[in-house]
Amino acid sequence: MSRRLVSLTLDTLEDLPRPCRACVFWELDPVAAERACAAGDPGLEKEAWVSQTLLEWGSCGKLAYVDGMPAGFVMYAPPAYVPRSMAFPTSPVSADAALLMNAHIVTAFAGGGLGRMLVQGVARDLTKRGIKAIEAFGDAKFGEAGQGEDGCLAPADFFLSVGFKTVRQHPRFPRLRLELRTALSWKSDVEYALEKLLGSMSPESLLRPVRPATRSTAS
């Protein structure tokens, strides 16, 4: 099974799940989003937002592919590019952070570590730009009966599971934060442990099992 990350472009935008491809929840303010949906083609507004953000700011999303199939994605941008970011009771996003707008893993690929892989890809990208942290608004009641469904918000538990910490509590929409140096340390920690393990083994022991020594006795 091969897994790879690619940056969001106008071409890879077409690999987003169909509901996400046409969703402008984050990209427009509530009034403009409602107007775009009423006009019948919010997908054009999303494409325009991605195009403008790519030109002015740079990469604003990552997609994960498993064996060539789109398996998940995240989108992110400075809060100034995300009108909806001011509509939450736990707003605003901190001045030193980019906003992780949404995160989605295709159900068939859930539980395989793709979420952390995507977040780490975002961390590497943003660190190069001098950004110190990622923040996100999570849904603490995601999937609960009677709470309504808002697929444009990821569960708060997802963000917590990939290393985010709550910085502003709320019964429904907590704001969470991940320091980028923490995300970037995941792989280095694993690699260090592996190197330490392999370094303690001789080349022969890596190729074949070590057999216990036998002592010959004179007859």
Short mmCIF file of all heavy atoms in Angstrom, two decimals, residues 69-135:
data_model
loop_
_atom_site.label_atom_id
_atom_site.label_comp_id
_atom_site.label_asym_id
_atom_site.label_seq_id
_atom_site.Cartn_x
_atom_site.Cartn_y
_atom_site.Cartn_z
N MET A 69 -5.58 6.56 -4.94
CA MET A 69 -6.95 6.99 -4.71
C MET A 69 -6.99 8.12 -3.69
O MET A 69 -6.32 8.04 -2.65
CB MET A 69 -7.82 5.83 -4.21
CG MET A 69 -7.94 4.68 -5.18
SD MET A 69 -8.94 3.32 -4.48
CE MET A 69 -10.50 4.17 -4.21
N PRO A 70 -7.75 9.20 -3.94
CA PRO A 70 -7.88 10.28 -2.95
C PRO A 70 -8.47 9.72 -1.65
O PRO A 70 -9.54 9.11 -1.66
CB PRO A 70 -8.84 11.26 -3.61
CG PRO A 70 -8.79 10.92 -5.07
CD PRO A 70 -8.56 9.45 -5.15
N ALA A 71 -7.76 9.93 -0.55
CA ALA A 71 -8.17 9.32 0.72
C ALA A 71 -8.45 10.34 1.81
O ALA A 71 -9.02 9.99 2.85
CB ALA A 71 -7.09 8.34 1.20
N GLY A 72 -8.06 11.59 1.61
CA GLY A 72 -8.31 12.60 2.61
C GLY A 72 -7.66 13.92 2.23
O GLY A 72 -6.83 13.98 1.32
N PHE A 73 -8.05 14.98 2.91
CA PHE A 73 -7.47 16.29 2.62
C PHE A 73 -7.61 17.22 3.81
O PHE A 73 -8.42 16.99 4.72
CB PHE A 73 -8.15 16.93 1.39
CG PHE A 73 -9.50 17.52 1.68
CD1 PHE A 73 -9.63 18.88 1.98
CD2 PHE A 73 -10.65 16.74 1.67
CE1 PHE A 73 -10.88 19.44 2.26
CE2 PHE A 73 -11.90 17.28 1.94
CZ PHE A 73 -12.02 18.64 2.24
N VAL A 74 -6.80 18.26 3.82
CA VAL A 74 -6.94 19.37 4.76
C VAL A 74 -6.76 20.66 3.97
O VAL A 74 -6.09 20.69 2.93
CB VAL A 74 -5.89 19.32 5.90
CG1 VAL A 74 -6.13 18.14 6.81
CG2 VAL A 74 -4.47 19.29 5.35
N MET A 75 -7.38 21.74 4.46
CA MET A 75 -7.20 23.06 3.87
C MET A 75 -6.84 24.03 4.98
O MET A 75 -7.32 23.90 6.10
CB MET A 75 -8.45 23.51 3.12
CG MET A 75 -8.73 22.70 1.86
SD MET A 75 -10.19 23.27 0.93
CE MET A 75 -9.65 24.89 0.39
N TYR A 76 -6.00 25.01 4.66
CA TYR A 76 -5.52 25.94 5.68
C TYR A 76 -5.16 27.26 5.03
O TYR A 76 -4.86 27.33 3.82
CB TYR A 76 -4.31 25.36 6.40
CG TYR A 76 -3.19 24.91 5.50
CD1 TYR A 76 -2.10 25.74 5.20
CD2 TYR A 76 -3.21 23.65 4.89
CE1 TYR A 76 -1.07 25.33 4.35
CE2 TYR A 76 -2.19 23.23 4.03
CZ TYR A 76 -1.13 24.07 3.78
OH TYR A 76 -0.12 23.66 2.93
N ALA A 77 -5.20 28.33 5.83
CA ALA A 77 -4.88 29.66 5.32
C ALA A 77 -4.81 30.62 6.50
O ALA A 77 -5.27 30.31 7.60
CB ALA A 77 -5.96 30.13 4.34
N PRO A 78 -4.23 31.79 6.30
CA PRO A 78 -4.27 32.81 7.35
C PRO A 78 -5.72 33.19 7.62
O PRO A 78 -6.55 33.20 6.70
CB PRO A 78 -3.49 33.98 6.73
CG PRO A 78 -2.67 33.38 5.63
CD PRO A 78 -3.48 32.24 5.11
N PRO A 79 -6.06 33.53 8.84
CA PRO A 79 -7.45 33.88 9.17
C PRO A 79 -8.00 35.01 8.29
O PRO A 79 -9.21 35.02 8.00
CB PRO A 79 -7.37 34.32 10.64
CG PRO A 79 -6.16 33.64 11.17
CD PRO A 79 -5.20 33.54 10.03
N ALA A 80 -7.14 35.92 7.84
CA ALA A 80 -7.60 37.03 7.01
C ALA A 80 -8.20 36.55 5.69
O ALA A 80 -9.00 37.27 5.08
CB ALA A 80 -6.45 38.00 6.73
N TYR A 81 -7.83 35.35 5.26
CA TYR A 81 -8.36 34.78 4.01
C TYR A 81 -9.63 33.97 4.25
O TYR A 81 -10.21 33.46 3.29
CB TYR A 81 -7.31 33.87 3.35
CG TYR A 81 -6.22 34.62 2.62
CD1 TYR A 81 -5.18 35.23 3.31
CD2 TYR A 81 -6.23 34.72 1.23
CE1 TYR A 81 -4.17 35.91 2.65
CE2 TYR A 81 -5.23 35.40 0.55
CZ TYR A 81 -4.20 36.00 1.27
OH TYR A 81 -3.20 36.68 0.61
N VAL A 82 -10.01 33.83 5.50
CA VAL A 82 -11.12 32.92 5.85
C VAL A 82 -12.21 33.71 6.58
O VAL A 82 -12.21 33.80 7.82
CB VAL A 82 -10.63 31.76 6.72
CG1 VAL A 82 -11.73 30.71 6.87
CG2 VAL A 82 -9.37 31.13 6.13
N PRO A 83 -13.16 34.29 5.85
CA PRO A 83 -14.19 35.12 6.48
C PRO A 83 -14.95 34.42 7.60
O PRO A 83 -15.29 35.05 8.61
CB PRO A 83 -15.12 35.46 5.31
CG PRO A 83 -14.25 35.37 4.10
CD PRO A 83 -13.29 34.26 4.39
N ARG A 84 -15.20 33.13 7.45
CA ARG A 84 -15.98 32.41 8.47
C ARG A 84 -15.23 32.31 9.80
O ARG A 84 -15.85 32.07 10.83
CB ARG A 84 -16.31 31.01 7.94
CG ARG A 84 -17.13 30.15 8.86
CD ARG A 84 -18.58 30.58 8.94
NE ARG A 84 -19.29 30.38 7.69
CZ ARG A 84 -20.61 30.27 7.59
NH1 ARG A 84 -21.37 30.35 8.67
NH2 ARG A 84 -21.17 30.11 6.40
N SER A 85 -13.94 32.54 9.80
CA SER A 85 -13.16 32.36 11.03
C SER A 85 -13.58 33.32 12.14
O SER A 85 -13.28 33.08 13.31
CB SER A 85 -11.67 32.54 10.75
OG SER A 85 -11.37 33.88 10.40
N MET A 86 -14.27 34.42 11.78
CA MET A 86 -14.71 35.38 12.79
C MET A 86 -16.11 35.10 13.30
O MET A 86 -16.63 35.85 14.12
CB MET A 86 -14.64 36.80 12.21
CG MET A 86 -13.23 37.27 11.92
SD MET A 86 -12.15 37.20 13.38
CE MET A 86 -12.99 38.35 14.48
N ALA A 87 -16.74 34.02 12.82
CA ALA A 87 -18.14 33.77 13.15
C ALA A 87 -18.33 32.82 14.32
O ALA A 87 -19.46 32.43 14.62
CB ALA A 87 -18.85 33.22 11.91
N PHE A 88 -17.24 32.43 15.00
CA PHE A 88 -17.34 31.46 16.08
C PHE A 88 -17.25 32.15 17.44
O PHE A 88 -16.58 33.18 17.58
CB PHE A 88 -16.22 30.42 15.97
CG PHE A 88 -16.37 29.49 14.79
CD1 PHE A 88 -15.86 29.83 13.55
CD2 PHE A 88 -17.06 28.29 14.92
CE1 PHE A 88 -16.02 28.99 12.47
CE2 PHE A 88 -17.23 27.44 13.84
CZ PHE A 88 -16.71 27.79 12.61
N PRO A 89 -17.91 31.59 18.44
CA PRO A 89 -17.85 32.19 19.77
C PRO A 89 -16.45 32.15 20.37
O PRO A 89 -16.17 32.88 21.33
CB PRO A 89 -18.83 31.34 20.60
CG PRO A 89 -18.96 30.05 19.83
CD PRO A 89 -18.81 30.42 18.40
N THR A 90 -15.57 31.31 19.84
CA THR A 90 -14.19 31.23 20.34
C THR A 90 -13.20 31.94 19.44
O THR A 90 -11.99 31.77 19.58
CB THR A 90 -13.78 29.75 20.52
OG1 THR A 90 -14.12 29.03 19.32
CG2 THR A 90 -14.50 29.12 21.70
N SER A 91 -13.69 32.73 18.49
CA SER A 91 -12.83 33.56 17.64
C SER A 91 -12.21 34.67 18.50
O SER A 91 -12.76 35.01 19.56
CB SER A 91 -13.63 34.18 16.51
OG SER A 91 -14.20 33.19 15.68
N PRO A 92 -11.10 35.28 18.05
CA PRO A 92 -10.41 35.05 16.78
C PRO A 92 -9.25 34.07 16.93
O PRO A 92 -8.82 33.75 18.04
CB PRO A 92 -9.88 36.44 16.45
CG PRO A 92 -9.54 37.03 17.80
CD PRO A 92 -10.60 36.49 18.73
N VAL A 93 -8.73 33.64 15.79
CA VAL A 93 -7.52 32.82 15.75
C VAL A 93 -6.34 33.69 16.18
O VAL A 93 -6.29 34.90 15.89
CB VAL A 93 -7.30 32.28 14.32
CG1 VAL A 93 -5.95 31.58 14.18
CG2 VAL A 93 -8.44 31.34 13.94
N SER A 94 -5.38 33.12 16.88
CA SER A 94 -4.21 33.86 17.35
C SER A 94 -3.43 34.46 16.17
O SER A 94 -3.38 33.88 15.09
CB SER A 94 -3.29 32.95 18.15
OG SER A 94 -3.98 32.42 19.27
N ALA A 95 -2.80 35.59 16.43
CA ALA A 95 -2.10 36.32 15.37
C ALA A 95 -0.92 35.56 14.79
O ALA A 95 -0.54 35.79 13.63
CB ALA A 95 -1.64 37.67 15.90
N ASP A 96 -0.33 34.63 15.56
CA ASP A 96 0.85 33.91 15.07
C ASP A 96 0.52 32.57 14.44
O ASP A 96 1.40 31.76 14.16
CB ASP A 96 1.85 33.69 16.21
CG ASP A 96 1.28 32.79 17.31
OD1 ASP A 96 0.05 32.54 17.31
OD2 ASP A 96 2.06 32.36 18.18
N ALA A 97 -0.77 32.30 14.20
CA ALA A 97 -1.20 30.98 13.71
C ALA A 97 -1.93 31.07 12.38
O ALA A 97 -2.58 32.07 12.06
CB ALA A 97 -2.09 30.30 14.75
N ALA A 98 -1.83 29.99 11.60
CA ALA A 98 -2.68 29.80 10.44
C ALA A 98 -3.89 28.97 10.88
O ALA A 98 -3.83 28.26 11.89
CB ALA A 98 -1.93 29.07 9.33
N LEU A 99 -4.97 29.08 10.15
CA LEU A 99 -6.19 28.35 10.48
C LEU A 99 -6.28 27.07 9.66
O LEU A 99 -6.23 27.12 8.42
CB LEU A 99 -7.41 29.21 10.23
CG LEU A 99 -8.77 28.53 10.43
CD1 LEU A 99 -8.98 28.14 11.89
CD2 LEU A 99 -9.91 29.42 9.96
N LEU A 100 -6.43 25.94 10.34
CA LEU A 100 -6.74 24.68 9.65
C LEU A 100 -8.26 24.66 9.50
O LEU A 100 -8.98 24.44 10.47
CB LEU A 100 -6.25 23.48 10.47
CG LEU A 100 -6.35 22.12 9.78
CD1 LEU A 100 -5.47 22.08 8.55
CD2 LEU A 100 -5.95 21.01 10.74
N MET A 101 -8.71 24.93 8.30
CA MET A 101 -10.14 25.15 8.08
C MET A 101 -10.95 23.88 8.24
O MET A 101 -11.96 23.85 8.93
CB MET A 101 -10.33 25.73 6.67
CG MET A 101 -9.65 27.07 6.49
SD MET A 101 -9.19 27.42 4.76
CE MET A 101 -10.76 27.24 3.90
N ASN A 102 -10.52 22.84 7.56
CA ASN A 102 -11.25 21.57 7.64
C ASN A 102 -10.30 20.40 7.43
O ASN A 102 -9.18 20.57 6.94
CB ASN A 102 -12.40 21.52 6.63
CG ASN A 102 -11.98 21.93 5.24
OD1 ASN A 102 -10.80 22.00 4.92
ND2 ASN A 102 -12.95 22.22 4.39
N ALA A 103 -10.76 19.25 7.82
CA ALA A 103 -9.98 18.02 7.67
C ALA A 103 -10.96 16.89 7.42
O ALA A 103 -11.96 16.76 8.13
CB ALA A 103 -9.16 17.74 8.92
N HIS A 104 -10.69 16.09 6.42
CA HIS A 104 -11.61 15.01 6.06
C HIS A 104 -10.82 13.78 5.62
O HIS A 104 -9.92 13.88 4.79
CB HIS A 104 -12.53 15.45 4.92
CG HIS A 104 -13.47 14.38 4.45
ND1 HIS A 104 -14.63 14.05 5.14
CD2 HIS A 104 -13.42 13.56 3.38
CE1 HIS A 104 -15.24 13.06 4.49
NE2 HIS A 104 -14.53 12.75 3.42
N ILE A 105 -11.17 12.65 6.20
CA ILE A 105 -10.60 11.36 5.79
C ILE A 105 -11.73 10.49 5.25
O ILE A 105 -12.77 10.34 5.91
CB ILE A 105 -9.92 10.63 6.98
CG1 ILE A 105 -8.86 11.52 7.64
CG2 ILE A 105 -9.30 9.32 6.50
CD1 ILE A 105 -7.71 11.91 6.75
N VAL A 106 -11.56 9.95 4.07
CA VAL A 106 -12.56 9.05 3.50
C VAL A 106 -12.75 7.87 4.45
O VAL A 106 -11.77 7.29 4.94
CB VAL A 106 -12.13 8.58 2.11
CG1 VAL A 106 -13.11 7.56 1.54
CG2 VAL A 106 -11.99 9.78 1.17
N THR A 107 -13.99 7.51 4.71
CA THR A 107 -14.31 6.49 5.71
C THR A 107 -13.52 5.21 5.50
O THR A 107 -13.03 4.61 6.46
CB THR A 107 -15.82 6.18 5.68
OG1 THR A 107 -16.55 7.39 5.91
CG2 THR A 107 -16.18 5.17 6.76
N ALA A 108 -13.36 4.78 4.27
CA ALA A 108 -12.66 3.52 4.00
C ALA A 108 -11.20 3.56 4.44
O ALA A 108 -10.59 2.50 4.64
CB ALA A 108 -12.74 3.20 2.50
N PHE A 109 -10.65 4.76 4.61
CA PHE A 109 -9.23 4.88 4.98
C PHE A 109 -9.03 5.42 6.40
O PHE A 109 -7.91 5.74 6.78
CB PHE A 109 -8.51 5.79 3.98
CG PHE A 109 -8.57 5.30 2.56
CD1 PHE A 109 -9.44 5.87 1.65
CD2 PHE A 109 -7.76 4.25 2.15
CE1 PHE A 109 -9.50 5.42 0.34
CE2 PHE A 109 -7.81 3.80 0.84
CZ PHE A 109 -8.68 4.37 -0.07
N ALA A 110 -10.12 5.53 7.14
CA ALA A 110 -10.02 6.06 8.50
C ALA A 110 -9.25 5.12 9.41
O ALA A 110 -9.26 3.89 9.21
CB ALA A 110 -11.42 6.30 9.07
N GLY A 111 -8.57 5.67 10.39
CA GLY A 111 -7.84 4.86 11.36
C GLY A 111 -6.47 4.41 10.92
O GLY A 111 -5.82 3.65 11.63
N GLY A 112 -6.00 4.89 9.78
CA GLY A 112 -4.71 4.46 9.27
C GLY A 112 -3.59 5.46 9.44
O GLY A 112 -2.52 5.31 8.85
N GLY A 113 -3.83 6.51 10.21
CA GLY A 113 -2.79 7.51 10.45
C GLY A 113 -2.71 8.61 9.41
O GLY A 113 -1.79 9.42 9.43
N LEU A 114 -3.68 8.66 8.48
CA LEU A 114 -3.64 9.68 7.44
C LEU A 114 -3.83 11.09 8.01
O LEU A 114 -3.27 12.05 7.50
CB LEU A 114 -4.70 9.41 6.38
CG LEU A 114 -4.45 8.22 5.44
CD1 LEU A 114 -5.60 8.08 4.46
CD2 LEU A 114 -3.13 8.39 4.69
N GLY A 115 -4.64 11.19 9.07
CA GLY A 115 -4.87 12.50 9.68
C GLY A 115 -3.58 13.11 10.17
O GLY A 115 -3.27 14.28 9.89
N ARG A 116 -2.80 12.33 10.88
CA ARG A 116 -1.52 12.83 11.39
C ARG A 116 -0.55 13.11 10.25
O ARG A 116 0.20 14.09 10.27
CB ARG A 116 -0.93 11.82 12.37
CG ARG A 116 0.42 12.23 12.92
CD ARG A 116 0.79 11.47 14.16
NE ARG A 116 -0.02 11.86 15.29
CZ ARG A 116 0.39 11.80 16.57
NH1 ARG A 116 1.61 11.36 16.84
NH2 ARG A 116 -0.39 12.17 17.55
N MET A 117 -0.59 12.27 9.23
CA MET A 117 0.28 12.47 8.06
C MET A 117 -0.05 13.81 7.38
O MET A 117 0.86 14.56 6.99
CB MET A 117 0.05 11.31 7.08
CG MET A 117 0.85 11.38 5.80
SD MET A 117 0.45 9.92 4.76
CE MET A 117 1.30 10.35 3.25
N LEU A 118 -1.32 14.12 7.25
CA LEU A 118 -1.73 15.38 6.62
C LEU A 118 -1.32 16.57 7.47
O LEU A 118 -0.80 17.57 6.96
CB LEU A 118 -3.25 15.38 6.42
CG LEU A 118 -3.77 14.54 5.24
CD1 LEU A 118 -5.26 14.27 5.39
CD2 LEU A 118 -3.50 15.26 3.91
N VAL A 119 -1.56 16.48 8.78
CA VAL A 119 -1.21 17.59 9.66
C VAL A 119 0.29 17.83 9.65
O VAL A 119 0.75 18.97 9.67
CB VAL A 119 -1.73 17.31 11.09
CG1 VAL A 119 -1.16 18.32 12.08
CG2 VAL A 119 -3.26 17.37 11.12
N GLN A 120 1.08 16.76 9.61
CA GLN A 120 2.52 16.93 9.58
C GLN A 120 2.97 17.58 8.27
O GLN A 120 3.91 18.38 8.24
CB GLN A 120 3.24 15.60 9.78
CG GLN A 120 4.74 15.78 10.04
CD GLN A 120 5.42 14.48 10.37
OE1 GLN A 120 5.14 13.46 9.76
NE2 GLN A 120 6.32 14.52 11.34
N GLY A 121 2.28 17.25 7.18
CA GLY A 121 2.58 17.89 5.91
C GLY A 121 2.31 19.39 5.96
O GLY A 121 3.08 20.20 5.43
N VAL A 122 1.21 19.76 6.60
CA VAL A 122 0.90 21.18 6.79
C VAL A 122 1.97 21.84 7.65
O VAL A 122 2.43 22.95 7.36
CB VAL A 122 -0.49 21.35 7.44
CG1 VAL A 122 -0.76 22.81 7.76
CG2 VAL A 122 -1.58 20.79 6.54
N ALA A 123 2.39 21.16 8.72
CA ALA A 123 3.39 21.71 9.63
C ALA A 123 4.70 22.00 8.90
O ALA A 123 5.33 23.05 9.09
CB ALA A 123 3.63 20.76 10.79
N ARG A 124 5.13 21.07 8.05
CA ARG A 124 6.37 21.28 7.31
C ARG A 124 6.26 22.49 6.39
O ARG A 124 7.18 23.30 6.27
CB ARG A 124 6.72 20.02 6.49
CG ARG A 124 7.31 18.89 7.32
CD ARG A 124 7.93 17.85 6.41
NE ARG A 124 6.96 17.20 5.55
CZ ARG A 124 6.33 16.08 5.85
NH1 ARG A 124 6.56 15.47 7.00
NH2 ARG A 124 5.45 15.54 5.01
N ASP A 125 5.11 22.61 5.73
CA ASP A 125 4.90 23.72 4.79
C ASP A 125 4.90 25.06 5.53
O ASP A 125 5.58 26.01 5.12
CB ASP A 125 3.57 23.50 4.06
CG ASP A 125 3.26 24.60 3.07
OD1 ASP A 125 4.21 25.16 2.49
OD2 ASP A 125 2.07 24.93 2.88
N LEU A 126 4.16 25.14 6.63
CA LEU A 126 4.03 26.41 7.34
C LEU A 126 5.30 26.81 8.06
O LEU A 126 5.59 28.00 8.20
CB LEU A 126 2.85 26.33 8.32
CG LEU A 126 1.47 26.18 7.68
CD1 LEU A 126 0.39 26.14 8.76
CD2 LEU A 126 1.19 27.33 6.72
N THR A 127 6.05 25.84 8.53
CA THR A 127 7.31 26.16 9.21
C THR A 127 8.25 26.89 8.26
O THR A 127 8.96 27.83 8.66
CB THR A 127 7.98 24.88 9.73
OG1 THR A 127 7.11 24.28 10.70
CG2 THR A 127 9.30 25.19 10.40
N LYS A 128 8.27 26.49 7.00
CA LYS A 128 9.13 27.15 6.00
C LYS A 128 8.72 28.61 5.80
O LYS A 128 9.52 29.43 5.36
CB LYS A 128 9.04 26.41 4.66
CG LYS A 128 9.60 24.99 4.69
CD LYS A 128 9.38 24.30 3.36
CE LYS A 128 9.84 22.86 3.40
NZ LYS A 128 9.55 22.16 2.12
N ARG A 129 7.47 28.93 6.14
CA ARG A 129 6.98 30.30 5.96
C ARG A 129 7.10 31.12 7.25
O ARG A 129 6.63 32.26 7.30
CB ARG A 129 5.53 30.28 5.49
CG ARG A 129 5.29 29.43 4.25
CD ARG A 129 3.91 29.70 3.71
NE ARG A 129 3.37 28.54 3.03
CZ ARG A 129 2.21 28.54 2.37
NH1 ARG A 129 1.49 29.63 2.32
NH2 ARG A 129 1.78 27.43 1.79
N GLY A 130 7.66 30.52 8.27
CA GLY A 130 7.86 31.24 9.52
C GLY A 130 6.64 31.29 10.43
O GLY A 130 6.61 32.09 11.38
N ILE A 131 5.66 30.44 10.17
CA ILE A 131 4.46 30.40 11.01
C ILE A 131 4.69 29.43 12.17
O ILE A 131 5.26 28.35 11.98
CB ILE A 131 3.24 30.00 10.17
CG1 ILE A 131 2.98 31.09 9.11
CG2 ILE A 131 2.00 29.80 11.03
CD1 ILE A 131 1.91 30.74 8.11
N LYS A 132 4.24 29.81 13.35
CA LYS A 132 4.59 29.05 14.55
C LYS A 132 3.57 28.00 14.96
O LYS A 132 3.89 27.06 15.69
CB LYS A 132 4.79 30.01 15.73
CG LYS A 132 5.97 30.96 15.55
CD LYS A 132 6.14 31.86 16.75
CE LYS A 132 7.34 32.77 16.60
NZ LYS A 132 7.50 33.65 17.79
N ALA A 133 2.31 28.16 14.52
CA ALA A 133 1.27 27.26 15.03
C ALA A 133 0.11 27.15 14.05
O ALA A 133 -0.04 27.97 13.13
CB ALA A 133 0.76 27.76 16.38
N ILE A 134 -0.68 26.10 14.25
CA ILE A 134 -1.94 25.92 13.53
C ILE A 134 -3.05 25.94 14.57
O ILE A 134 -2.91 25.35 15.65
CB ILE A 134 -2.01 24.57 12.80
CG1 ILE A 134 -0.72 24.24 12.06
CG2 ILE A 134 -3.19 24.53 11.85
CD1 ILE A 134 -0.67 22.80 11.57
N GLU A 135 -4.14 26.62 14.27
CA GLU A 135 -5.31 26.58 15.13
C GLU A 135 -6.51 26.09 14.34
O GLU A 135 -6.52 26.16 13.10
CB GLU A 135 -5.58 27.94 15.77
CG GLU A 135 -4.49 28.33 16.76
CD GLU A 135 -4.82 29.53 17.61
OE1 GLU A 135 -5.91 30.13 17.43
OE2 GLU A 135 -4.00 29.88 18.47
#
